[in-house]
Amino acid sequence: AYLLDRQLPDGGFALSGQTADPDITAMALQALAPYQEDAATAEAIRRGLEWLSGQQTENGDFVSWGDPNAESTAQVLIALCSLGLDPETDARFIRNGRTLRDGLLSYRTAEGLFRHTAEGIEDLMATEQAILALQALDRLRAGQGRLYDLRDIPPGIVIIVIRKRKRVCTK
């Protein structure tokens, strides 16, 4: 209900104020995804997707805070996957034959890392969010749950997190 009350008249969501942002809109849609059976939520999602579709560039990516960037593109890709929509086949998110995935991969470096902007240097946050987005797409195609819904992982599986070259194991 809190999120639904924050949706702007144009269908987007803002961090603050009245100017919608693709990054924030995509994150709001990810949060609403588990509740899409509710009519009011479904309508908010429809409006959010319509707004996002209108913001996609001809390169398949998204602009946030004045710059086309990998992170906003990644968040939109995660949002679509969270809603059960394939970002490579949903016509609302294909521009000039370029998909969201194409837009995201345009920020990839030869070393496999990602840049925040097309001309920028390798960026840890861009790389982390790009990996999450590609994982969301893999999970969608494998029929698994949403990226942040890991109930399909059997109990006792060890998840290995790598931070600053140290391995941390958690259960």
Side-chain angles (χ1 to χ4, degrees):
Y2 179 85
L3 282 176
L4 296 180
D5 288 342
R6 300 303 178 279
Q7 190 168 34
L8 300 172
D10 63 8
F13 290 82
L15 183 59
S16 62
Q18 294 296 309
T19 303
D21 177 75
D23 224 330
I24 302 303
T25 299
M27 287 187 256
L29 294 181
Q30 290 170 46
L32 293 172
Y35 311 103
Q36 57 189 313
E37 298 301 320
D38 172 73
T41 303
E43 177 60 15
I45 290 169
R46 184 197 65 74
R47 292 179 56 233
L49 288 171
E50 183 177 305
W51 184 83
L52 280 173
S53 177
Q55 302 304 307
Q56 189 176 18
T57 75
E58 296 299 316
N59 294 323
D61 59 356
F62 283 83
V63 176
S64 184
W65 300 95
D67 290 316
N69 66 84
E71 293 94 322
S72 294
T73 307
Q75 290 301 323
V76 175
L77 198 151
I78 294 168
L80 266 63
C81 292
S82 296
L83 293 165
L85 303 170
D86 189 328
E88 291 197 289
T89 61
D90 191 312
R92 296 173 293 183
F93 293 93
I94 299 173
R95 298 286 183 274
N96 295 326
R98 294 183 56 81
T99 67
L100 270 166
R101 184 175 179 276
D102 295 329
L104 179 62
L105 292 177
S106 71
Y107 294 92
R108 189 173 180 202
T109 68
E111 294 78 24
L113 300 173
F114 286 79
R115 301 175 190 91
H116 169 67
T117 59
E119 302 304 320
I121 60 171
E122 297 159 344
D123 182 273
L124 182 58
M125 184 181 293
T127 300
E128 289 172 344
Q129 290 189 29
I131 290 169
L132 286 170
L134 295 171
Q135 182 63 40
L137 185 57
D138 286 347
R139 291 181 64 78
L140 175 74
R141 292 193 172 146
Q144 298 171 322
R146 293 178 308 278
L147 180 65
Y148 301 115
D149 178 359
L150 304 177
R151 289 178 288 180
D152 60 326
I153 296 177
I157 296 293
V158 176
I159 300 171
I160 298 175
V161 179
I162 300 173
R163 296 274 186 214
K164 295 185 180 181
R165 301 181 192 257
K166 292 181 183 179
R167 294 180 99 188
V168 178
C169 296
T170 60
K171 281 202 177 221

